[in-house]
Amino acid sequence: MRVLVTGGAGYIGSVVTEELVRDGHEVVVYDSLYKGHRAAVVAGAEFVEADLLDGESLRRAFREQGTEAVIHMAADSLVGESVTNPAKYYRNNVAAGLALLDAMNECEVRRLVFSSTAATYGEPEKQPIEETDPTNPTNPYGQTKLAFEHALPWYEHAYGIRYASLRYFNAAGATAHCGEMHDPESHLIPIILQAATGVREAVEIYGEDYPTRDGTCVRDYIHVVDLARAHILALSILDERSAIYNLGCGGDGYTVREVIDVARSVTGREIKVRVGARRAGDPAFLVASSARIKRELNWSPQFQDLHQIIESAWKWMQQHPRGYEE
Ligand SMILES: NC(=O)c1ccc[n+]([C@@H]2O[C@H](COP(=O)([O-])OP(=O)(O)OC[C@H]3O[C@@H](n4cnc5c(N)ncnc54)[C@H](O)[C@@H]3O)[C@@H](O)[C@H]2O)c1
């Protein structure tokens, strides 16, 4: 298939591109590089450096390549920033997303896989979270992702654009070529590994008085290759129907302290922690159920062991000590 990946120079998008190219698809990465890295664009993919709001570049990319499907990864995704600067999130996650849908419609591209987020659920009443649970986002990041999702059934109804929306929490891990490098880094595993290398002095734990196994918050972590495989698998339903799928690690999740302990064992390094106060709006448990995508598409994560996930991230970090800046 000829696939255009928005945000394909970013962390997850680069791995989605890598897996698409490996499967023999023709891929165009469409990324403004405002956050991603040119060096993360996988060999074998074409690259268009442009913004989603640049409709002319989008339409040209669709027409020149004969695009048949879009995997939409480009977004802003920092929860804290979304609270202080919601305008940025409505512009990039909603307005730019709609510009993408409009260009798809004009160019008759009718298949979309959307990288949504489990932040659409907010603070869920039960765990693990299922697709039928209520969506009550507690910040503009989750709200803007949900706003874009809400447009999708209407675009399907009126213009025939089918979609698969994937909701998940924490991407983690790396491949030999692609790894995680965000600035600022807000994700737990790279933060822990930065503490292991000394780039950061310690890992801050936000509260250890939650009603969990060891008092710290429980989250699920999915290997980025498993996420990429789910995005590609989701393409396969789009001739028939649209769907929303959660993606989770398949277990009970891990506490923050458990993640730090696994990282200590993987790296063999001392990792200092500092315990601070709880952050507002941090639920004790956030674990997504993958039962539906397992049942309907036979997706199952290959890297369920957190040890393996952290090992891959650690290996990438050691081989790319300056990330993509070398
Ligand atoms: N990282 C996670 O744990 C996680 C969890 C759940 C959902 N997601 C979703 O997955 C997607 C990818 O996340 P990531 O961690 O790889 O992010 P990332 O910041 O590494 O990558 C995003 C990429 O999109 C590009 N981009 C952003 N806005 C653009 C625009 N208007 N036009 C063109 N390019 C643009 C950036 O330059 C960057 O390369 C996001 O949509 C995010 O909401 C991520």
Side-chain angles (χ1 to χ4, degrees):
M1 209 182 260
R2 290 184 289 271
V3 185
L4 183 139
V5 181
T6 75
Y11 170 43
I12 307 171
S14 60
V15 179
V16 168
T17 305
E18 192 174 36
E19 292 294 308
L20 283 165
V21 169
R22 193 196 310 280
D23 285 0
H25 298 287
E26 288 173 36
V27 189
V28 172
V29 165
Y30 190 97
D31 196 303
S32 64
L33 291 187
Y34 111 93
K35 277 197 170 161
H37 310 276
R38 180 64 184 89
V41 178
V42 172
E46 277 183 46
F47 178 56
V48 176
E49 182 177 343
D51 197 279
L52 288 174
L53 287 167
D54 176 356
E56 204 177 308
S57 292
L58 255 183
R59 289 188 293 272
R60 195 179 322 119
F62 285 150
R63 290 195 174 117
E64 279 176 4
Q65 194 217 15
T67 299
E68 295 166 287
V70 172
I71 300 185
H72 179 34
M73 317 286 312
D76 283 309
S77 53
L78 294 170
V79 169
E81 182 188 61
S82 80
V83 175
T84 54
N85 191 359
K88 181 177 179 184
Y89 283 72
Y90 277 89
R91 198 177 312 115
N92 208 21
N93 297 355
V94 183
L98 297 180
L100 171 70
L101 288 180
D102 292 341
M104 287 176 65
N105 186 32
E106 275 180 61
C107 299
E108 298 180 7
V109 183
R110 307 263 183 245
R111 299 181 188 92
L112 175 75
V113 174
F114 173 49
S115 213
S116 186
T117 169
T120 48
Y121 292 107
E123 297 182 23
E125 282 155 24
K126 65 168 191 46
Q127 305 286 333
I129 308 163
E130 292 172 294
E131 293 82 349
T132 46
D133 287 338
T135 46
N136 284 312
T138 52
N139 53 65
Y141 168 54
Q143 188 75 61
T144 52
K145 287 287 202 171
L146 187 62
F148 180 74
E149 275 196 18
H150 283 162
L152 295 176
W154 297 110
Y155 273 69
E156 178 180 23
H157 178 74
Y159 313 122
I161 296 175
R162 291 230 176 81
Y163 63 91
S165 197
L166 304 182
R167 296 173 175 167
Y168 51 95
F169 286 113
N170 302 292
T175 68
H177 177 257
C178 306
E180 183 163 17
M181 193 188 150
H182 291 119
D183 183 20
E185 189 54 78
S186 64
H187 295 130
L188 182 64
I189 290 175
I191 285 176
I192 291 173
L193 296 181
Q194 284 175 352
T197 57
V199 167
R200 181 183 290 266
E201 202 200 316
V203 179
E204 186 102 23
I205 296 180
Y206 299 105
E208 55 175 3
D209 55 351
Y210 286 93
T212 61
R213 294 187 283 277
D214 59 18
T216 64
C217 289
V218 171
R219 298 289 181 264
D220 70 6
Y221 299 88
I222 312 184
H223 196 283
V224 66
V225 169
D226 286 324
L227 283 177
R229 297 311 314 171
H231 283 72
I232 296 170
L233 200 55
L235 285 171
S236 67
I237 66 163
L238 300 176
D239 283 336
E240 308 276 317
R241 61 191 173 92
S242 295
I244 294 175
Y245 291 115
N246 284 350
L247 303 169
C249 62
D252 297 333
Y254 296 90
T255 69
V256 174
R257 280 212 183 270
E258 285 166 353
V259 178
I260 294 169
D261 284 344
V262 173
R264 285 186 176 127
S265 132
V266 167
T267 61
R269 307 263 177 106
E270 186 200 359
I271 298 171
K272 287 194 193 138
V273 300
R274 240 188 334 250
V275 179
R278 287 185 180 198
R279 280 185 307 199
D282 257 353
F285 291 88
L286 284 177
V287 177
S289 161
S290 311
R292 181 189 279 180
I293 192 168
K294 280 186 179 159
R295 194 172 60 241
E296 294 185 5
L297 304 189
N298 207 17
W299 176 78
S300 94
Q302 303 299 301
F303 299 92
Q304 269 178 300
D305 178 8
L306 187 63
H307 204 274
Q308 273 182 302
I309 295 178
I310 295 185
E311 212 164 47
S312 70
W314 179 236
K315 204 165 159 188
W316 188 82
M317 209 180 236
Q318 288 192 303
Q319 283 167 356
H320 306 83
R322 288 164 46 79
Y324 289 109
E325 281 166 14
E326 293 150 296

